[in-house]
C-alpha cells in the first residue's frame, strides 16, 4: 500500500528517577500521549504546572482514525498553539450532503453566517494532529514527555497515586499528586483500579479505506443511504490532506473482519463507487465495531479520566476526539486552581459533573445516529427510508434525517458553577455556553475575540464609550484580587480607557448581535471560554459572587 505519511520514531529517553526505592514525586502525571493526553498536558504546562507525560509507544497513531475536528475543538487547539498548522494542513469544510439511492435529499451548512475565525470542520488524519501536539509538547519546559515508558501498576492513595513504570532500561517508580488517565478505550489504568465503563456494543461492522487519488469533488461531507454502488448499506466520503480520501463502508455484523480487509475485497467496492476509470491507491484499511459507553464518574480521588478512557461513542458525528479535547479544556484550569490553593478540591467534582453531561449528550446523539444509519428491524428500516424519501420535498422530514449529528459544544446550562440570569437576554450565550467568536479591533490591531479569551477569568463589559464605566475602582480591585479577573471593555466605536482597561472595538457589530449586548451589559467568562454569568447592569459585587460560585469558593 502507498504511504503519504512518514511515521517517525520519537526518541526514547532513559528514566531520570533514581530508582524504585526512592520514587520521585511529580505534581501531575498524564498517562497516554494521544490527542487528549497531549492536549491536557500542554494546557497544564502552558499554565506553568509541571507535567510528566508517559506513553508506552514511540510514534503517532497509524491510519487516519479520528479525522474530523470541529470548530470548538479548533478554538481549544488555538489556545494550545497548534490550530494554525492543523487548519493549514487539513481540509476545511462547512457543507454536508446526504443521498438516498443516488439522489440528494438533504444538505446543511455548519456556518451559514460569516465572521467566524475557524471553519465548521476540518478533515485531518489523526497522525498529523498528534505530530503537531508532540512538537508543541516538546517545546514546553514544564512538560516532560517520555516515550516507551509503560505504566504497569497503579496504587491510589489519599494524597496521590503511586505508579510502577517499565522501560527498556528497567522499571522505576514515580508518585504523583494528581493522575490524569488518557490511555484510551482499553484503559489499563481503569482496569488496574477495578473500574468499568458501561454501555452498549453495536452489532455492525464498518470498513475504513483511506484512498490516495486526485479528484475534483468539493470539500464537503457526503453520506449515502442505500446507494446503487453499495445496496442496502451506507457509505461516507471525506477529503483529507495529501489527496487522501476517507471512505467508510457499512458491512453488516456477519462480515468477516479479516477477509474484508483484503485488497481483493476492498478494491472492487471502491471501483463500484468511483468507477473503473478512476485511478487510486490504498493507504490504510481497517474494519471496526464500536461501543457507546461511559464511566459513572470521571473523578476517582486523585485520578481523573479524560477522553476515550472515560467515554466512548460511535464515529458518526465526530464526537470522540472533539469531546476528549473539550474534556482537557474543562479540566486543566480547575486542576491548576486547586493545586494553587485558590479553589477547593470539590471544583474537580464539577469537571466530572459537567463532562458526564456532555458525554451523555454525545452518547444520546451518537446512539440515535447509529440507529438511523443501521436500522435493526423492518419497521425501523421502513421509517428510515420513508423519512429519506420525504426529505427530498418537505423540510419537516429533513430535520429527522440523521447521518450523524455533528459535534457541537455542550451547553452546560445546569452546571452548579453558573450564576442564573436575573435579566432577559436573547441569543445562545447563556450561562454554561461556550463563547461565540467575533471580529474585534484595538486601534489598528485586528483580531478575533477568542484569541484574547481563555486561561483566566475575564469580564466583558459592553459600553458606548470607554469612559462610560461605573464602579471603575471596584473593577480595578477585581483585577488585582486573590483570583484576578481581567476586565475588558467592548465598545461599538473603539477608543482608549481612562481607567487603564483594555478596549475591544466591535467594529462589525457581530459581538452585539451574538451576545445580545446593550450598554451596561457584562459577561463573566471562565478560563475555558464558557460563560459563567451575565448581567444587564454591571456590579462588581455580583461579579465577585459569581466568581466565587464558578470556583466553588462561595460560603
Amino acid at each position: 500500500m502507498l504511504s503519504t505519511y512518514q511515521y517517525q520514531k520519537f526518541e526514547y529517553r532513559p528514566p531520570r528517577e533514581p530508582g524504585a526505592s526512592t520514587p520521585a514525586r511529580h505534581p501531575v502525571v498524564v498517562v497516554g500521549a494521544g490527542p487528549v493526553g497531549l492536549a491536557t498536558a500542554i494546557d497544564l504546562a502552558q499554565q506553568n504546572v509541571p507535567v510528566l507525560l508517559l506513553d508506552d509507544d514511540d510514534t503517532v497513531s497509524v491510519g487516519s482514525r479520528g479525522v474530523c475536528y470541529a470548530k470548538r475543538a479548533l478554538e481549544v487547539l488555538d489556545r494550545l498553539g497548534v490550530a494554525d498548522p492543523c487548519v493549514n494542513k487539513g481540509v476545511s469544510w462547512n457543507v454536508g450532503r446526504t443521498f438516498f439511492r443516488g439522489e440528494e435529499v438533504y444538505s446543511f451548512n455548519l456556518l451559514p453566517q460569516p465572521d467566524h475565525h475557524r471553519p465548521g470542520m476540518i478533515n485531518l488524519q489523526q497522525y498529523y494532529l498528534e505530530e503537531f501536539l508532540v512538537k508543541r509538547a516538546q517545546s514546553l519546559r514544564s512538560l516532560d514527555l517520555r516515550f516507551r515508558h509503560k505504566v504497569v501498576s497503579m496504587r491510589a492513595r489519599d494524597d496521590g497515586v503511586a505508579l510502577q513504570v517499565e522501560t527498556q532500561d528497567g522499571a522505576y517508580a514515580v508518585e504523583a499528586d494528581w493522575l490524569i488517565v488518557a490511555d484510551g478505550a482499553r484503559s489499563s489504568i481503569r482496569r488496574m483500579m477495578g473500574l468499568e465503563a458501561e454501555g452498549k456494543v453495536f452489532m455492525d461492522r464498518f470498513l475504513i479505506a483511506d484512498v490516495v487519488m486526485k479528484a475534483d469533488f468539493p470539500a464537503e461531507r457526503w453520506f449515502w443511504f442505500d446507494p446503487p454502488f453499495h445496496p442496502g448499506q451506507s457509505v461516507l466520503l471525506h477529503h483529507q490532506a495529501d489527496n487522501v480520501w476517507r471512505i467508510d463502508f457499512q458491512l453488516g455484523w456477519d462480515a468477516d473482519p479479516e477477509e474484508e480487509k483484503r485488497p481483493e475485497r476492498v478494491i472492487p467496492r471502491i471501483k463500484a463507487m468511483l468507477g473503473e476509470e478512476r485511478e487510486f491507491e490504498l493507504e490504510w484499511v481497517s474494519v471496526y465495531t464500536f461501543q457507546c459507553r461511559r464511566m459513572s464518574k470521571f473523578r476517582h480521588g486523585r485520578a481523573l479520566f479524560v477522553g476515550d478512557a472515560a467515554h466512548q461513542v460511535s464515529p458518526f458525528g465526530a464526537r470522540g476526539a472533539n469531546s476528549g479535547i473539550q474534556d482537557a479544556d474543562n479540566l486543566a484550569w480547575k486542576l491548576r486552581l486547586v493545586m494553587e490553593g485558590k479553589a477547593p478540591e470539590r471544583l474537580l467534582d464539577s469537571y466530572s459533573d459537567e463532562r458526564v453531561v456532555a458525554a451523555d449528550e454525545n452518547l444520546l446523539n451518537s446512539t440515535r445516529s447509529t440507529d438511523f444509519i443501521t436500522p435493526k428491524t423492518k419497521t425501523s428500516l421502513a421509517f428510515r427510508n420513508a423519512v429519506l424519501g420525504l426529505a427530498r420535498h418537505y423540510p419537516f422530514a429533513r430535520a429527522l434525517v440523521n447521518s450523524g449529528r455533528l459535534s457541537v459544544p455542550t451547553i452546560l446550562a445546569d452546571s452548579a458553577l453558573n450564576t442564573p440570569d436575573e435579566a432577559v437576554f436573547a441569543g445562545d450565550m447563556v450561562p454554561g455556553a461556550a463563547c461565540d467568536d467575533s471580529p474585534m479591533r484595538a486601534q489598528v490591531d485586528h483580531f478575533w475575540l477568542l484569541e484574547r479569551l481563555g486561561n483566566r477569568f475575564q469580564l466583558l463589559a459592553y459600553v458606548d464609550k470607554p469612559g462610560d464605566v461605573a464602579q471603575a475602582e471596584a473593577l480595578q480591585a477585581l483585577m488585582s484580587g486573590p483570583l484576578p479577573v481581567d476586565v475588558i471593555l467592548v465598545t461599538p466605536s473603539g477608543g482608549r480607557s481612562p481607567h487603564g482597561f483594555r478596549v475591544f472595538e466591535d467594529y462589525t457589530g457581530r459581538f452585539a448581535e451574538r451576545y445580545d449586548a446593550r450598554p451596561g451589559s457584562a459577561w463573566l467568562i471562565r478560563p475555558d471560554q464558557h460563560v459563567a454569568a451575565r448581567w444587564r447592569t454591571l456590579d462588581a459585587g455580583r461579579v465577585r459572587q459569581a466568581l466565587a460560585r464558578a470556583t466553588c469558593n462561595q460560603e
Side-chain angles (χ1 to χ4, degrees):
M1 293 187 182
L2 181 68
S3 178
T4 59
Y5 181 80
Q6 300 301 313
Y7 289 89
Q8 62 173 311
K9 297 288 187 181
F10 297 117
E11 181 184 0
Y12 161 80
R13 294 201 307 265
R16 301 176 183 177
E17 281 67 17
S21 60
T22 55
R25 185 87 177 189
H26 296 267
V28 178
V29 172
V30 179
V31 178
V36 180
L38 283 161
T40 311
I42 291 168
D43 201 343
L44 287 165
Q46 288 186 160
Q47 299 180 64
N48 298 316
V49 176
V51 181
L52 172 62
L53 175 55
L54 305 173
D55 194 86
D56 60 3
D57 200 1
D58 62 355
T59 190
V60 296
S61 62
V62 175
S64 60
R65 298 188 183 275
V67 66
C68 298
Y69 301 100
K71 179 175 180 288
R72 181 61 197 149
L74 294 173
E75 291 162 354
V76 177
L77 294 174
D78 259 320
R79 296 196 353 260
L80 302 183
V82 297
D84 279 345
C86 288
V87 173
N88 292 341
K89 184 65 180 178
V91 176
S92 298
W93 63 276
N94 292 312
V95 174
R97 301 189 185 279
T98 300
F99 304 86
F100 179 46
R101 295 173 180 164
E103 293 186 36
E104 183 176 340
V105 298
Y106 174 72
S107 67
F108 60 82
N109 189 333
L110 294 173
L111 285 184
Q113 187 185 61
D115 294 328
H116 290 275
H117 182 204
R118 294 306 183 190
M121 283 274 180
I122 67 164
N123 292 343
L124 181 70
Q125 297 91 314
Q126 184 172 318
Y127 44 71
Y128 278 118
L129 173 61
E130 291 187 18
E131 177 188 328
F132 299 148
L133 286 167
V134 167
K135 288 179 179 178
R136 176 61 180 152
Q138 290 173 331
S139 73
L140 297 170
R141 296 182 63 181
S142 295
L143 204 166
D144 182 2
L145 174 52
R146 303 182 188 178
F147 294 104
R148 290 165 61 191
H149 286 241
K150 182 178 181 179
V151 175
V152 294
S153 72
M154 178 271 188
R155 187 170 74 257
R157 298 174 177 171
D158 290 341
D159 65 344
V161 299
L163 304 173
Q164 192 76 8
V165 185
E166 280 189 355
T167 75
Q168 65 189 46
D169 292 310
Y172 66 98
V174 295
E175 294 180 350
D177 296 336
W178 296 93
L179 175 68
I180 297 174
V181 185
D183 58 348
R186 297 182 180 89
S187 172
S188 60
I189 300 293
R190 190 178 64 220
R191 186 178 65 251
M192 292 172 197
M193 295 182 69
L195 302 171
E196 298 293 337
E198 298 180 353
K200 177 181 178 182
V201 177
F202 285 87
M203 308 290 282
D204 213 327
R205 302 188 194 278
F206 290 80
L207 169 74
I208 299 175
D210 279 354
V211 174
V212 183
M213 65 177 179
K214 293 184 178 180
D216 56 0
F217 307 142
E220 299 173 346
R221 175 190 190 263
W222 288 359
F223 194 103
W224 288 266
F225 291 96
D226 192 15
F229 54 84
H230 193 53
Q233 306 283 22
S234 63
V235 179
L236 176 65
L237 177 69
H238 273 296
H239 186 194
Q240 305 177 84
D242 304 327
N243 288 321
V244 176
W245 296 78
R246 164 82 167 262
I247 309 174
D248 289 46
F249 292 96
Q250 182 186 0
L251 298 176
W253 182 245
D254 295 331
D256 182 331
E258 294 306 313
E259 182 68 20
E260 293 295 343
K261 288 191 290 186
R262 295 162 59 90
E264 53 265 37
R265 296 282 294 176
V266 177
I267 290 173
R269 294 189 189 280
I270 298 172
K271 285 187 175 182
M273 176 183 180
L274 301 177
E276 290 288 339
E277 70 284 356
R278 177 76 62 181
E279 295 183 0
F280 63 86
E281 294 187 69
L282 293 179
E283 179 170 82
W284 179 64
V285 175
S286 180
V287 172
Y288 66 88
T289 59
F290 51 85
Q291 304 178 45
C292 285
R293 61 178 188 163
R294 69 162 173 85
M295 300 174 69
S296 60
K297 59 180 182 178
F298 300 166
R299 181 193 175 194
H300 292 265
R302 292 294 183 107
L304 300 141
F305 288 77
V306 295
D308 285 353
H311 48 78
Q312 298 156 249
V313 295
S314 82
F316 306 118
R319 293 173 178 270
N322 286 287
S323 181
I325 289 169
Q326 291 171 72
D327 288 349
D329 190 43
N330 188 290
L331 174 59
W333 69 272
K334 296 176 179 177
L335 182 55
R336 175 181 61 83
L337 290 183
V338 170
M339 294 176 70
E340 291 176 349
K342 295 179 179 178
E345 281 193 22
R346 66 177 180 274
L347 180 60
L348 294 173
D349 293 330
S350 77
Y351 159 70
S352 179
D353 293 343
E354 291 183 344
R355 295 311 298 165
V356 162
V357 168
D360 283 346
E361 180 179 294
N362 286 325
L363 288 166
L364 176 63
N365 280 287
S366 183
T367 300
R368 287 175 173 172
S369 298
T370 304
D371 288 342
F372 192 86
I373 293 168
T374 64
K376 296 300 186 290
T377 67
K378 291 183 179 179
T379 301
S380 58
L381 176 61
F383 170 79
R384 198 274 310 270
N385 289 348
V387 166
L388 290 168
L390 291 168
R392 294 190 185 100
H393 308 292
Y394 300 103
F396 84 90
R398 292 167 199 158
L400 300 174
V401 174
N402 194 341
S403 60
R405 305 286 190 217
L406 290 165
S407 175
V408 294
T410 298
I411 297 175
L412 306 170
D414 297 324
S415 171
L417 305 189
N418 296 341
T419 295
D421 282 339
E422 296 179 356
V424 176
F425 282 82
D428 298 328
M429 293 297 95
V430 300
C435 288
D436 266 347
D437 211 353
S438 63
M440 289 290 179
R441 181 166 60 197
Q443 306 302 318
V444 296
D445 183 19
H446 288 71
F447 54 91
W448 295 93
L449 175 64
L450 294 187
E451 292 177 344
R452 306 293 170 91
L453 294 187
N455 303 321
R456 59 201 181 281
F457 279 94
Q458 293 166 297
L459 182 71
L460 301 178
Y462 191 81
V463 295
D464 272 333
K465 298 177 181 179
D468 298 343
V469 180
Q471 301 185 334
E473 291 185 4
L475 295 178
Q476 289 169 338
L478 282 174
M479 297 180 68
S480 57
L483 189 53
V485 177
D486 184 18
V487 177
I488 299 170
L489 306 183
V490 181
T491 80
S493 57
R496 297 182 184 274
S497 166
H499 306 102
F501 302 126
R502 287 193 292 164
V503 178
F504 292 175
E505 181 186 352
D506 178 28
Y507 68 98
T508 65
R510 290 295 187 193
F511 177 88
E513 174 188 347
R514 291 169 182 166
Y515 287 72
D516 187 24
R518 303 175 192 168
S521 300
W523 299 260
L524 180 64
I525 310 302
R526 299 180 353 176
D528 57 2
Q529 299 177 335
H530 280 254
V531 178
R534 60 182 179 174
W535 306 271
R536 282 300 185 195
T537 302
L538 176 58
D539 179 88
R542 289 185 177 182
V543 175
R544 282 192 293 270
Q545 292 172 358
L547 178 65
R549 183 165 185 156
T551 55
C552 294
N553 278 308
Q554 69 268 42
E555 296 294 333

